[in-house]
Amino acid sequence: MWQAFEKEADRSVRNPLDTWLRGKIDAAAESVGAAAIMPNEGPPFVPVQDWAMRAEPVFRSPIGILIHPDYGLWHVYRAALLFEEILKLQPLADIPSPCAACAKKPCLTVCPADAFLKNSFKAEACADHVDSAKGTNCRDRGCLARRACPVGRDYLYEPAQQAFHTAAMVGAVRSGFGGEPRDDKSSD
Ligand code: B12
């Protein structure tokens, strides 16, 4: 996705990634007779992670985002397609979360902002650190906790993409994650 975005997208518009994606997703939805919902549009936000856990073997990781056995923490949901009829899905593969066998859980110990609590994420603490002089590593190369995960390392985003999403994440936090103006809602 990132390579196509870099090649094709008009970066001068507001929300360049969301804008570029919307056209592609609407066309895909129309071709199969579905309506598209964008998970980052809100509030209110659709519970896309709950839907994903019913559709494929992904699991809540200790840092809140879902982990996939192959892609690790390097996957996100660009859209949900709503169909009028109920679709028959493959039964879910009965496999354990990769986090169950991870003894050290480095994702929980490396965050310089101590942003991960047991059931929540301190978004302000994260953004303040990323914006500070000490935040270069997270700012330029992406979330340290996410990068510490040993699963799916082949799918790690490249630095330009990491920096783009991190900047968008800080913008989202500063504008209260809502409908207020911000640089791009695609913090992921
Ligand atoms: C608002 C939002 C944010 C806010 C976070 C606000 C906060 N304090 O948590 C900001 C902008 C800071 C943010 C940051 C990031 N986000 Co975000 N975010 C969202 C968004 C748009 C809405 C979340 C929400 O409020 N849902 C409200 C209702 C619907 O959810 P809920 O049932 O209450 O459950 C939420 C919480 O309870 C929490 N939660 C539940 N159980 C647990 C357990 C633990 C331990 C923790 C920490 C959290 C947690 O997670 C749920 C979703 O956030 C979702 C998309 C979506 N539609 O869900 C993406 C989404 C959750 N984000 C995503 C990502 C990738 C990130 C970042 C990694 C991006 C980055 N570049 O760093 C960071 C990391 C945040 C983290 N570690 O949790 C992805 C996760 C994909 C995945 N693999 O699961 C999503 C699903 C977007 C997508 N399009 O795929 N995000």
Side-chain angles (χ1 to χ4, degrees), residues 96-174:
S97 164
C99 303
C102 178
K104 288 197 176 150
K105 307 217 183 321
C107 60
L108 286 179
T109 53
V110 297
C111 176
D114 288 329
F116 299 103
L117 306 183
K118 199 161 188 302
N119 284 306
S120 64
F121 170 63
K122 286 190 331 201
E124 296 281 349
C126 167
D128 288 348
H129 175 78
V130 167
D131 262 349
S132 74
K134 289 187 179 157
T136 336
N137 194 354
C138 306
R139 192 162 62 235
D140 297 345
R141 298 172 58 209
C143 172
L144 257 173
R146 206 178 180 190
R147 284 192 281 134
C149 178
V151 184
R153 298 204 64 83
D154 289 349
Y155 300 96
L156 214 84
Y157 300 164
E158 60 181 89
Q161 183 176 8
Q162 297 272 26
F164 176 90
H165 292 311
T166 306
M169 187 275 295
V170 173
V173 173
R174 299 298 182 221

Side-chain angles (χ1 to χ4, degrees), residues 37-50 52-53 58-68 72-79 108 115-124 126-127 142-143 145-146 157 161-174 176-178 182 185-188:
I37 293 191
M38 309 295 271
N40 294 345
E41 271 176 17
F45 297 110
V46 293
V48 71
Q49 293 180 309
D50 293 342
M53 285 188 279
V58 287
F59 310 88
R60 184 75 63 190
S61 75
I63 60 169
I65 59 175
L66 303 183
I67 187 155
H68 185 281
L73 301 174
W74 304 104
H75 73 283
V76 303
Y77 303 95
R78 294 290 161 205
L108 286 179
F116 299 103
L117 306 183
K118 199 161 188 302
N119 284 306
S120 64
F121 170 63
K122 286 190 331 201
E124 296 281 349
C126 167
C143 172
R146 206 178 180 190
Y157 300 164
Q161 183 176 8
Q162 297 272 26
F164 176 90
H165 292 311
T166 306
M169 187 275 295
V170 173
V173 173
R174 299 298 182 221
F177 337 126
R182 62 193 203 200
K185 292 184 183 175
S186 294
S187 65
D188 36 73

